[in-house]
């Protein structure tokens, strides 16, 4: 009852005219920031942070949280329409969202992204409201060994991402892991794989650069080749009937969205994890558990719903350790933490007691922002779909410009632009050779986190590899990972056995 009373007081704060206007403005701005390749929630929050000093602290954190939320929704837009991830959290959405758009189902994909984001955001906010304090203790129980086991579990869900050709998938995962080691060694500081002492490689290879090159530029090259005699226009359209059909289709995905919400919230509240690993893990597990796994990567709506549910749930989950322990769960929450400190608010357990108006105003604003985001997003779907009907000659040039801007903006280095061009050609050739690109991107995203947690564990345990099996949580994750790893082999053996036992015609 106390929680409901405090939440009601929070709504009285967040639904004041000023804060309500701030939520709507923040979500709208975040939606467009998230849709711009290379910007994302981190840059959006950083740009707006100085402006928050003109409003009270509670309104300021509500504005930043609304931008954060809106950016999570917006990241899916460019992933679906152009095949360019608006942010790292939307990389997994590209795998099935872009094929759906190419099949004339851009409206359905955008509805799926909006509804899944709303479900993930709502479930995670409810979890946040009811279990903030005890869940913070769970996050603290996670050490490097558990992180390594969790990332390994994520990798085993990727094994089937390349369809039936498991060998090609494993090759691409290995290639992604090699690329993730480029740059300076985490512990010794020695340069690794810097290709003849090229200074641009000292900071490593950004997975966003790889994703933009392989998917954005590679897609343009492939489309030019396949439609050189008759340039194609994506047959995109949206009607009210299709909107209703989209909502009905989402009803059938309640299991996927529920699982993605809980998984995303759990992974999001782990320090240094964030929404990107959560969305990738949700996609991999949705594929592994689907009755029709071979349709993933070819325009399966479940492949859009799973990562979008998880990344929005993770965005709320990452706020939990920030508020209760002062530990940011993602780069964006680190900026939010900095803003709170600047406004004289100290995160921690006492924040809930000393500043209840601020805390519950923020929590209630997450509910408000969630409703505002889904309403604005669905209202803008016809505009987004209309943009797809541009002639290919115009759309092609627009995509290339966005790819270059998106690759240059985060680091402001021409080195990354050249890398995008190189990855674009490589992505085009790999696609022609029927190599899956998704495992390559996923391995580059999770490789550094896996290496760091593995080495931290070995250093802390003085080289004892058995430490991974001696901790209950870590051992449980490793056991599930082993199960997922052998699952494709078991399926293959069962299929071969059935074929051999079938009577010859």
């Amino acid at each position: 009852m106390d929680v409901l009373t405090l939440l009601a007081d929070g709504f009285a704060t967040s639904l004041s005219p000023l804060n309500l206007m701030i939520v709507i403005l923040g979500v709208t701005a975040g939606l467009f920031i998230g849709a711009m390749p290379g910007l994302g929630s981190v840059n959006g929050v950083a740009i707006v942070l100085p402006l928050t000093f003109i409003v009270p602290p509670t309104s300021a954190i509500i504005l930043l949280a609304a931008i954060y939320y809106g950016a999570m929704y917006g990241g899916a837009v460019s992933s679906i329409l152009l095949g360019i991830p608006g942010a790292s959290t939307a990389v997994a959405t590209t795998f099935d969202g872009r094929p759906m758009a190419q099949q004339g189902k851009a409206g359905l994909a955008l509805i799926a992204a909006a509804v899944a984001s709303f479900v993930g955001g709502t479930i995670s906010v409810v979890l946040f409201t009811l279990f903030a304090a005890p869940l913070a203790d769970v996050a603290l129980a996670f050490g490097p060994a558990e992180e390594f086991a969790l990332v390994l579990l994520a990798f085993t869900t990727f094994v089937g991402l390349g369809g039936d050709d498991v060998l090609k998938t494993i090759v691409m995962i290995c290639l992604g892991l090699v690329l993730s080691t480029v740059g300076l060694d985490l512990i010794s500081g020695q340069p690794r794989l810097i290709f003849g002492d090229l200074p641009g490689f000292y900071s490593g290879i950004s997975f966003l650069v790889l994703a933009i090159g392989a998917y954005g530029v590679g897609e343009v090259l492939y489309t030019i080749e396949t439609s050189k005699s008759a340039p194609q226009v994506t047959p995109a359209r949206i009607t009210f009937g299709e909107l209703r059909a989209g909502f009905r289709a989402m009803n059938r995905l309640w299991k996927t969205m529920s699982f993605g919400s809980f998984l995303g919230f759990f992974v999001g509240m782990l320090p240094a994890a964030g929404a990107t690993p959560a969305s990738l893990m949700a996609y991999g597990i949705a594929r592994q558990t689907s009755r029709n796994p071979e349709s993933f990567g070819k325009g399966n709506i479940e492949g859009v719903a799973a990562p979008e549910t998880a990344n929005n749930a993770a965005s709320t989950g990452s706020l939990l350790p920030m508020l209760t322990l002062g530990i940011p769960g993602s780069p964006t929450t680190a900026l939010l933490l900095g803003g709170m400190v600047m406004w004289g608010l100290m995160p921690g357990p006492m924040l809930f007691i000393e500043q209840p108006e601020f805390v519950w105003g923020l929590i209630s604003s997450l509910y408000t922002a969630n409703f505002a985001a889904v309403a604005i997003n669905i209202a803008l779907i016809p505009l987004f779909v209309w943009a797809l009907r541009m002639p290919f000659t115009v759309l092609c040039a627009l995509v290339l410009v966005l790819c270059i801007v998106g690759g240059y903006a985060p680091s402001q280095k021409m080195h990354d632009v050249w890398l995008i061009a190189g990855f674009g050609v490589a992505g085009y050739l790999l696609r022609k050779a029927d190599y899956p690109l998704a495992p390559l991107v996923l391995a580059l995203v999770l490789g550094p986190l896996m290496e760091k947690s593995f080495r931290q564990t070995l250093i802390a345990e003085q080289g004892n590899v058995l430490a991974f099996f001696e901790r209950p949580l870590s051992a449980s994750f490793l056991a599930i990972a082993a199960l997922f790893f052998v699952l494709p082999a078991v399926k293959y053996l069962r299929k071969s056995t059935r074929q051999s036992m079938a009577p010859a015609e």
Side-chain angles (χ1 to χ4, degrees), residues 423-446:
F423 285 136
V425 174
Y428 162 72
L429 295 175
L430 287 169
R431 181 171 177 177
K432 285 182 70 71
D434 201 23
Y435 275 84
L437 296 175
L440 175 68
V441 179
L442 303 178
L444 187 59
V445 171
L446 294 182

Side-chain angles (χ1 to χ4, degrees), residues 322-339:
M322 182 200 76
L323 283 179
T324 56
L325 304 171
I327 302 172
S330 67
T332 309
T333 51
L335 285 174
L336 295 176
L337 178 65

Side-chain angles (χ1 to χ4, degrees), residues 140-451:
L140 277 183
F142 258 69
E146 285 77 12
E147 282 183 5
F148 170 78
L150 190 64
V151 174
L152 187 65
L153 171 61
F155 271 113
T156 57
T157 66
F158 303 159
V159 170
L161 283 181
D164 294 331
D165 200 333
V166 176
L167 182 60
K168 285 184 177 178
T169 304
I170 293 176
V171 168
M172 297 304 282
I173 289 177
C174 293
L175 181 58
L177 288 175
V178 170
L179 291 177
S180 73
T181 61
V182 173
L184 298 177
D185 185 276
L186 293 171
I187 296 174
S188 68
Q190 292 296 315
R192 302 183 302 193
L193 298 176
I194 51 173
F195 300 99
D197 208 22
L198 288 176
F201 284 115
Y202 275 84
S203 55
I205 297 175
S206 166
F207 56 85
L208 200 56
V209 168
L210 173 64
I212 289 175
Y215 281 98
V217 178
E219 175 72 24
V220 168
L221 294 176
Y222 187 80
T223 307
I224 289 174
E225 185 201 24
T226 55
S227 62
K228 55 188 176 185
S229 58
Q232 297 175 350
V233 176
T234 305
R237 61 188 180 86
I238 186 75
T239 64
F240 283 109
E242 287 171 327
L243 276 173
R244 286 198 299 272
F247 287 119
R248 283 198 297 272
M250 294 306 294
N251 283 335
R252 296 192 291 271
L253 302 179
W254 64 271
K255 286 183 182 176
T256 301
M257 291 192 290
S258 301
F259 180 79
S261 301
F262 285 100
L263 176 70
F265 184 79
F266 177 71
V267 175
M269 70 182 190
L270 301 179
T276 304
S279 63
L280 298 174
M281 290 175 67
Y283 182 87
I285 293 175
R287 188 195 184 282
Q288 284 279 14
T289 56
S290 173
R291 292 181 179 176
N292 193 17
E294 63 277 0
S295 66
F296 276 68
K298 300 172 184 174
N300 190 324
I301 190 172
E302 206 173 345
V304 176
E308 281 303 305
T309 310
N311 68 28
N312 272 268
S315 66
T316 304
S318 63
L319 293 174
L320 190 145
M322 182 200 76
L323 283 179
T324 56
L325 304 171
I327 302 172
S330 67
T332 309
T333 51
L335 285 174
L336 295 176
L337 178 65
M340 287 177 62
V341 173
M342 283 193 299
W343 303 317
L345 300 166
M346 293 307 296
M350 294 305 292
L351 186 69
F352 284 72
I353 300 171
E354 295 173 352
Q355 301 286 344
E357 182 182 349
F358 169 82
V359 172
W360 291 98
L362 170 63
I363 294 174
S364 63
S365 75
L366 297 179
Y367 288 94
T368 313
N370 210 21
F371 278 99
V374 72
I376 294 171
N377 210 350
I378 289 177
L380 291 177
I381 283 177
L383 176 65
F384 294 143
V385 172
W386 171 82
L388 263 189
R389 298 171 65 183
M390 282 188 288
F392 176 72
T393 49
V394 178
L395 196 59
C396 171
L398 179 64
V399 170
L400 287 177
V401 169
L402 288 176
C403 286
I404 293 171
V405 172
Y408 180 77
S411 62
Q412 299 185 4
K413 294 177 183 174
M414 278 305 295
H415 173 80
D416 285 343
V417 177
W418 293 119
L419 277 183
I420 285 176
F423 285 136
V425 174
Y428 162 72
L429 295 175
L430 287 169
R431 181 171 177 177
K432 285 182 70 71
D434 201 23
Y435 275 84
L437 296 175
L440 175 68
V441 179
L442 303 178
L444 187 59
V445 171
L446 294 182
L449 182 61
M450 187 180 191
E451 181 192 355

